[in-house]
Amino acid sequence: HVQLVESGGGSVEAGGSQRLSCVVTDDANEFEWIGWFRPDDKGGRVGVAVIDRDGRTGYLDSVKDRFTISRDGTKNTVYLQMNKLKPEDTAMYTCAADPRKLSCWARSPTDFGYWGQGTQVTVS
């Protein structure tokens, strides 16, 4: 039974940094995609950062050059380093994973079958 457990959320001042962790209770290397999502303004979710099995990454335009996603296969953990945080980054951040190979980059919530419970980040 795969579980994704997030941690690292909290309150931070604008301009500050926060690092989120997502521990996968399975071999994280079995997953082709692991990503971080947050709610969008349409009631859905938007991919903030995604990393594939080979370490390639993709980011939401508004977080490029501020956020970095990385994975530590030995710890089955994926990190989201968030720098230069802005109030508009305030959100519940949720980790997601999926083992399927796709013909294109995974960016939609429907590309991910396993989800964590989320961790709240508040920037003021």
Side-chain angles (χ1 to χ4, degrees):
H1 178 61
V2 176
Q3 285 187 302
L4 284 71
V5 181
E6 303 98 332
S7 62
S11 297
V12 61
E13 291 185 352
S17 298
Q18 199 89 346
R19 189 177 80 158
L20 306 182
S21 299
C22 172
V23 177
V24 182
T25 61
D26 203 340
D27 185 354
N29 291 322
E30 294 297 315
F31 292 96
E32 189 69 26
W33 312 95
I34 301 181
W36 288 93
F37 286 77
R38 70 187 186 191
D40 63 16
D41 56 5
K42 299 177 182 177
R45 286 170 166 161
V46 63
V48 175
V50 175
I51 188 166
D52 73 1
R53 187 195 302 268
D54 296 323
R56 292 171 295 196
T57 59
Y59 297 93
L60 185 66
D61 284 346
S62 62
V63 307
K64 282 180 181 177
D65 300 324
R66 298 190 298 122
F67 290 11
T68 303
I69 188 171
S70 60
R71 61 195 294 174
D72 183 340
T74 63
K75 298 180 180 179
N76 291 336
T77 302
V78 171
Y79 302 99
L80 184 66
Q81 178 66 44
M82 305 185 294
N83 299 327
K84 300 179 182 178
L85 282 161
K86 304 175 181 180
E88 51 263 44
D89 294 319
T90 293
M92 178 73 76
Y93 286 76
T94 306
C95 180
D98 202 277
R100 296 171 293 175
K101 291 186 182 291
L102 302 176
S103 59
C104 57
W105 187 259
R107 62 178 72 250
S108 167
T110 58
D111 294 329
F112 293 79
Y114 298 94
W115 292 84
Q117 295 299 309
T119 185
Q120 177 68 34
V121 174
T122 302
V123 185
S124 59

